[in-house]
Amino acid sequence: MTSAQPLPFVKMNGLGNEIVVVDLRASAKVFTAAEVAAIAAERISHFDQMMVLHAPATKGTESFVRIYNTDGSEAGACGNGMRCVGWLLAKHLGRDHFKVETRAGILDTVVRDPSSITVDMGEPRFGWQDIPLAEEFRDTRTIELQIGPIDRPILHSPSVVNVGNPHAIFWVDDVDAFDLARLGPLLENHPVFPERANISLAHVTSPNSIRLRTWERGAGLTQACGSAACAAAVTAARKRLTERKVKVTLPGGPLTVEWSNDNHILMSGPAEFEYEGVIDLSKLAPAPA
């Protein structure tokens, strides 16, 4: 690592999903993948996702936000992280409604209080090329994918969608009955997903509720994944398993997701401040390979 001025960060969480926010809007600095992985490897700055604010790229937005996973890879979306960014920007700007931009597009954010932050996560993409998949599936409500013996697969027939990141949702009767720590990496890196995928186990418990566990691409098991909650909600509604507004309960707690009539996904939930710290890139050890 090259010597650099220490960078302040804010540690937050969205339903236990560990988030680090770094504000680089006044700097030309862009983190390398190695730097990101090294930051994640430090106890004080460990994260599931790191949200890095850069100067706006589009007029009318407050920031362009780069989203990083613990392995240094970039993500297109992070619902829990966006709520954390929203809360910090609301305090800084002194208003409750604004836009930020990510690789997934421009996102509207409304902050009522720390327990109620709504992010417009944009429109879901269901086309196999847009997810993307390595081969054509005309109906992505269910694709041919299984893990385990052909006659007795452990998991099979997921729904797939892109909500900023690729997601595969396996419909099960008990989300805790599977070793997702073992199955997640195998499915994340399955050849059908050329850009890897987030892997979720979903159980529809009523027309308005879903239980969910997620293995996040580039991060691993997580207490909560906002984009996975959105993915589960829209694919459940698309399969007519639920209504278009549902409560999605993750290990860290519930989110409300509404697939609105204009095809946008509205995700609402809390954000929690933990502490502030400083990243000194010159003192970071390289992350373990």
Side-chain angles (χ1 to χ4, degrees):
M1 302 289 178
T2 57
S3 179
Q5 184 175 358
L7 301 171
F9 72 87
V10 178
K11 179 69 182 293
M12 302 185 71
N13 79 79
L15 296 179
N17 189 188
E18 293 188 74
I19 304 296
V20 161
V21 183
V22 180
D23 189 347
L24 295 181
R25 285 177 294 171
S27 170
K29 169 70 180 174
V30 176
F31 288 117
T32 67
E35 288 172 335
V36 171
I39 293 167
E42 292 289 310
R43 181 188 61 80
I44 191 70
S45 56
H46 177 73
F47 59 82
D48 294 318
Q49 274 74 41
M50 182 165 72
M51 317 293 289
V52 182
L53 279 60
H54 294 277
T58 301
K59 185 177 180 180
T61 63
E62 301 300 332
S63 173
F64 183 87
V65 182
R66 292 182 185 271
I67 306 170
Y68 296 94
N69 299 312
T70 56
D71 64 358
S73 62
E74 283 197 55
C78 176
N80 292 316
M82 288 311 305
R83 294 199 313 278
C84 293
V85 167
W87 176 240
L88 290 176
L89 283 176
K91 291 179 63 180
H92 175 75
L93 298 170
R95 63 178 195 270
D96 61 5
H97 188 192
F98 45 84
K99 300 176 186 289
V100 297
E101 187 174 9
T102 72
R103 283 173 47 193
I106 295 175
L107 308 180
D108 278 292
T109 303
V110 178
V111 179
R112 297 173 181 84
D113 57 61
S115 67
S116 181
I117 302 167
T118 299
V119 179
D120 182 340
M121 297 288 287
E123 300 185 43
R125 291 179 288 169
F126 299 111
W128 70 273
Q129 308 99 320
D130 299 322
I131 291 168
L133 303 177
E135 59 185 280
E136 180 178 357
F137 288 91
R138 293 186 179 181
D139 187 351
T140 53
R141 287 176 294 185
T142 301
I143 67 167
E144 296 177 14
L145 172 63
Q146 66 181 43
I147 188 167
I150 294 177
D151 57 341
R152 295 186 65 186
I154 299 170
L155 292 170
H156 64 90
S157 308
S159 302
V160 289
V161 62
N162 188 303
V163 289
N165 302 318
H167 285 267
I169 300 91
F170 290 85
W171 306 100
V172 299
D173 293 330
D174 182 355
V175 299
D176 297 314
F178 301 85
D179 186 355
L180 192 54
R182 180 176 67 86
L183 300 174
L186 300 175
L187 290 163
E188 172 193 350
N189 295 286
H190 192 282
V192 77
F193 303 119
E195 296 180 8
R196 301 185 294 166
N198 297 268
I199 307 299
S200 293
L201 306 177
H203 175 208
V204 174
T205 54
S206 82
N208 305 105
S209 59
I210 300 171
R211 286 199 65 214
L212 193 73
R213 290 179 64 213
T214 299
W215 173 272
E216 282 198 80
R217 177 185 65 165
L221 283 177
T222 182
Q223 286 291 100
C225 178
S227 63
C230 295
V234 297
T235 53
R238 194 172 181 231
K239 288 171 69 71
R240 301 187 184 279
L241 300 175
T242 64
E243 304 294 335
R244 293 175 70 99
K245 183 175 182 178
V246 295
K247 181 175 75 172
V248 182
T249 301
L250 306 111
L255 293 172
T256 299
V257 181
E258 180 178 3
W259 187 16
S260 63
N261 290 331
D262 66 359
N263 198 35
H264 282 240
I265 308 169
L266 304 178
M267 176 207 60
S268 301
E272 182 180 4
F273 172 85
E274 294 186 14
Y275 54 82
E276 296 178 344
V278 173
I279 298 167
D280 189 341
L281 295 177
S282 66
K283 294 181 179 179
L284 291 179

